[in-house]
Amino acid sequence: MSVFGAQKVSKWFGQIVAVNELSFSTDVPILGLLGPNGAGKSTLLKLLVGQLRPSSGSVGLLGQRPWANRELMARIGYCPEHDRFYEDMAAAEFVRWLCRLHGFDAAGSARRAAEALERVGLQALGDRSVRSLSHGMRQRLKVAQALAHGPEVLVLDEPLSGLDPLGRAEMIELFRELAASGCHLLVSSHVLHELEAMTVDILLLNRGRVLAQGQVQRIRELIDAHPHRIAMTAGEPRALAVALLRHADVMRVEIDGPRVVVETRKPDECFERIGELASAGDFDVQSLVGLDDNLEAVFQYLVHDRPDLEG
Amino acid sequence: MASQAPEREPRKLPSSATAGLLMARLFLRVALAQRRTIWIGLLLAVPVGLAVWWRCTDGAGGQGFFVEMVVGVFLQFFCLGLPLYLGIAAVRDEIEDRTLVYLLARPVRRWVVLGGKVAAVGVAISAAMALDVVLVFGIAASAPGAGPGLGMLLTALGVVVLACIVYTGAFCLLGVAFRRPMIPAIIGAFGWEGVLSNMPGAFPKLTLMYYLKSLLGLGPQSSGLLALLVSTAPPASAARSLWVLFLVGGIFFAAAMIIGSRREQPV
């Protein structure tokens, strides 16, 4: 039984296909759902938490179908993407009400709301009306309501959107702690480094389809043929460029002042070669960085450069 | 931020009755903080204001005035208008505000989410209207001449409350059945119920208003030349009226719950 799964699930709204025969299955502690705006991330999450019904195919959460499944709803927490609340309520009251609907009594709900607000760093703001909270605080409040009842699975739609860098770091740390305590998380984002900071397990979506699934390294294996770019600064950029172009794997070299960017089909060999040249001291190489070392490059390549993957 | 693991404790899911009550309380909690509640309160003060004005100017024959107020103001305006506005709002507000997502992500049956809110609307409108009717009755009864009796008050209260509940069900049904329910609701309220109930012949029998008025002992009325040319349906018996109103009201509520529980959230 996988924690998150879909079997040829499709969801369309009129003539718009939001999710298109999408299949995946995973039980990793944190699954990052990655894709550009309009990729179908939010629709997939809504299908998984039972807010939407599949047009065809099926989805599963903890091995159960989520639509109108109240037993399952008791075990999951959902943080929606949109920034909507009962604005006139106090932050703690908002979480308390939602806890009550999980079957906790008034005292238990109050305790859990206070704990949840503390976990997201809003403990001092529980009495403030939601209307008066900043965007980042409201984002934290959404996470608080999702985790207050102690769910086994958290489904978080763009939970880091609108948070400042410190807030992002704190929330990422919180998500890691939750995963370490046995909670499974499905986190969507279109910002790659956010997901990269909390998980290596990625589901890549575009136009309602899965482009790739697996660990970051495995996704990268898919793109062996993709030219990697390596940037360096050198005292002798032109001479360095000429030296690099002698090798067959080097496809192109760009020179911009002291900066040299090389495109290669064999990044590991190229790195090694540049290291040797640097240590020989012939070209005064001062810095070296792989431009494709983060998920951004993988994502860009998969989405834009391999239309065959988009079906 | 705290770092302890989330606490999971075995617990019983809330029963539908408990969850429905919580939904109703939540709805009222949210509604009480809204500005429109103040406006509705002011609107509800209008009949009392009219009664005070009548008492201060003419002020005789309280029975006739009370019946006119019950039929013309409460039944034909407030009992239609308030359920129309609030019944639809109970359904559409949370969909359009997207706060319904939070409720549907809880271990509560979908029909209970809607049912709790609709029940809260029905009870709130009925209570407010009943208070209004009692106040108007008190003013009418204080006037010299033939005043309304206690039996008339109880009948009026029953009819007004029944009207509020049945119409709330009807407009909630429109709220869940249509994405933009206001136009069909206005046509239904003031076209179908308002106009058809005053048409000659058997047309009024197609309206709920006919059965509500029948409970007050009133039938459709024609006047002048029209009264000579057309026949009007006599009032239905109380038993038949109650039977029709409960049946139709029950169908409205059941249909609203069924449709509402199958509806998805707009993306």
Side-chain angles (χ1 to χ4, degrees):
Chain A
M1 181 190 77
S2 61
V3 176
F4 307 106
Q7 186 63 37
K8 287 194 169 182
V9 68
S10 295
K11 183 66 189 175
W12 52 83
F13 303 96
Q15 297 192 343
I16 298 169
V17 180
V19 170
N20 193 359
E21 293 202 339
L22 187 151
S23 296
F24 76 99
S25 177
T26 183
D27 54 5
V28 297
I30 303 180
L31 177 65
L33 185 59
L34 186 65
N37 289 326
K41 302 187 298 292
S42 291
T43 302
L44 178 59
L45 296 187
K46 286 178 179 176
L47 287 165
L48 283 167
V49 299
Q51 300 276 330
L52 295 174
R53 263 186 306 197
S55 302
S56 68
S58 63
V59 289
L61 199 57
L62 293 168
Q64 298 183 37
R65 296 199 176 192
W67 173 260
N69 186 339
R70 62 193 289 258
E71 285 76 22
L72 182 61
M73 292 303 116
R75 300 168 66 191
I76 68 172
Y78 174 50
C79 170
E81 178 188 16
H82 51 73
D83 182 47
R84 299 299 182 92
F85 297 91
Y86 301 115
E87 298 285 343
D88 294 308
M89 278 189 187
E93 185 188 7
F94 173 69
V95 183
R96 276 203 307 270
W97 269 111
L98 298 177
C99 273
R100 292 295 305 273
L101 293 172
H102 277 275
F104 297 106
D105 60 15
S109 297
R111 180 175 57 80
R112 284 186 164 269
E115 287 171 2
L117 292 174
E118 187 183 355
R119 291 178 74 86
V120 300
L122 286 181
Q123 64 272 27
L125 302 173
D127 293 332
R128 285 258 303 267
S129 76
V130 175
R131 190 186 302 280
S132 70
L133 298 179
S134 69
H135 185 64
M137 292 169 186
R138 293 160 72 94
Q139 200 68 14
R140 289 167 185 253
L141 182 58
K142 279 196 297 187
V143 175
Q145 64 79 30
L147 60 83
H149 55 283
E152 296 166 50
V153 173
L154 268 176
V155 178
L156 307 162
D157 198 351
E158 304 271 0
L160 304 181
S161 167
L163 290 173
D164 58 29
L166 178 62
R168 283 171 192 240
E170 287 177 347
M171 294 304 271
I172 288 169
E173 185 58 31
L174 173 63
F175 297 156
R176 284 177 172 161
E177 286 169 7
L178 289 165
S181 71
C183 185
H184 290 271
L185 287 87
L186 175 53
V187 186
S188 81
S189 178
H190 63 277
V191 182
L192 306 181
H193 64 84
E194 287 180 354
L195 291 179
E196 204 173 18
M198 68 180 90
T199 184
V200 293
D201 297 295
I202 300 290
L203 183 68
L204 209 56
L205 287 190
N206 190 48
R207 296 183 188 171
R209 288 175 181 266
V210 173
L211 285 179
Q213 182 195 354
Q215 296 202 327
V216 175
Q217 299 91 314
R218 289 189 60 194
I219 291 173
R220 292 194 61 134
E221 285 170 11
L222 290 172
I223 57 166
D224 273 348
H226 169 47
H228 287 63
R229 295 190 308 153
I230 300 168
M232 64 213 87
T233 52
E236 300 288 342
R238 289 184 179 280
L240 177 60
V242 170
L244 291 171
L245 279 169
R246 290 188 189 121
H247 299 271
D249 62 285
V250 173
M251 299 168 65
R252 193 168 65 154
V253 176
E254 294 172 16
I255 302 171
D256 182 12
R259 181 179 155 94
V260 179
V261 178
V262 57
E263 270 188 25
T264 173
R265 290 189 188 281
K266 295 181 178 174
D268 293 340
E269 286 181 23
C270 193
F271 264 111
E272 197 174 326
R273 194 179 307 131
I274 295 167
E276 287 168 3
L277 291 172
S279 50
D282 293 341
F283 306 104
D284 188 20
V285 177
Q286 290 148 15
S287 69
L288 182 65
V289 59
L291 296 180
D292 295 346
D293 277 353
N294 62 26
L295 275 173
E296 186 74 49
V298 179
F299 178 72
Q300 290 297 329
Y301 171 61
L302 286 172
V303 171
H304 296 297
D305 299 345
R306 289 192 59 182
D308 55 307
L309 278 172
E310 297 189 53
Chain B
M1 291 195 292
S3 61
Q4 69 271 28
E7 186 186 341
R8 287 177 206 129
E9 58 195 46
R11 63 184 183 278
K12 231 174 97 176
L13 298 182
S15 68
S16 292
T18 305
L21 194 60
L22 283 167
M23 283 294 167
R25 287 177 53 199
L26 175 61
F27 175 81
L28 292 174
R29 162 67 185 85
V30 173
L32 283 175
Q34 290 172 332
R35 192 172 297 168
R36 71 166 165 228
T37 305
I38 298 170
W39 289 109
I40 290 170
L42 290 173
L43 192 64
L44 283 168
V46 170
V48 179
L50 279 173
V52 170
W53 176 78
W54 168 82
R55 181 72 181 82
C56 293
T57 54
D58 183 359
Q63 185 175 341
F65 174 76
F66 182 66
V67 171
E68 279 178 22
M69 286 294 285
V70 168
V71 176
V73 176
F74 289 115
L75 207 53
Q76 296 194 143
F77 181 70
F78 280 97
C79 290
L80 277 170
L82 282 184
L84 186 156
Y85 180 55
L86 292 177
I88 288 174
V91 177
R92 300 304 307 181
D93 277 6
E94 292 223 49
I95 293 174
E96 281 156 21
D97 292 346
R98 297 192 173 190
T99 48
L100 190 58
V101 171
Y102 295 114
L103 306 181
L104 295 182
R106 310 294 145 185
V108 177
R109 291 184 176 87
R110 298 172 80 93
W111 69 265
V112 172
V113 174
L114 180 61
K117 290 152 64 71
V118 171
V121 171
V123 169
I125 294 174
S126 298
M129 295 292 290
L131 178 65
D132 242 18
V133 169
V134 168
L135 289 172
V136 170
F137 171 82
I139 295 166
S142 71
L150 197 60
M152 188 176 284
L153 171 65
L154 293 177
T155 305
L157 282 175
V159 171
V160 164
V161 168
L162 192 55
C164 289
I165 290 172
V166 173
Y167 284 129
T168 298
F171 295 121
C172 283
L173 174 59
L174 292 177
V176 296
F178 293 93
R179 283 203 187 278
R180 290 181 176 80
M182 200 48 96
I183 290 174
I186 289 172
I187 291 171
F190 299 106
W192 186 276
E193 287 294 298
V195 175
L196 211 60
S197 65
N198 291 309
M199 294 281 278
F203 283 114
K205 290 186 177 179
L206 298 174
T207 67
L208 294 171
M209 190 62 75
Y210 167 75
Y211 298 97
L212 290 163
K213 284 182 179 175
S214 292
L215 288 173
L216 291 169
L218 302 171
Q221 292 171 340
S222 301
S223 58
L225 185 60
L226 192 62
L228 298 172
L229 297 175
V230 299
S231 62
T232 52
S237 68
R240 184 184 172 84
S241 298
L242 286 173
W243 186 84
V244 169
L245 290 167
F246 279 116
L247 177 71
V248 174
I251 290 171
F252 284 156
F253 276 106
M257 298 306 115
I258 291 168
I259 295 172
S261 63
R262 293 178 181 202
R263 270 285 158 95
E264 296 177 323
Q265 279 303 287
V267 174

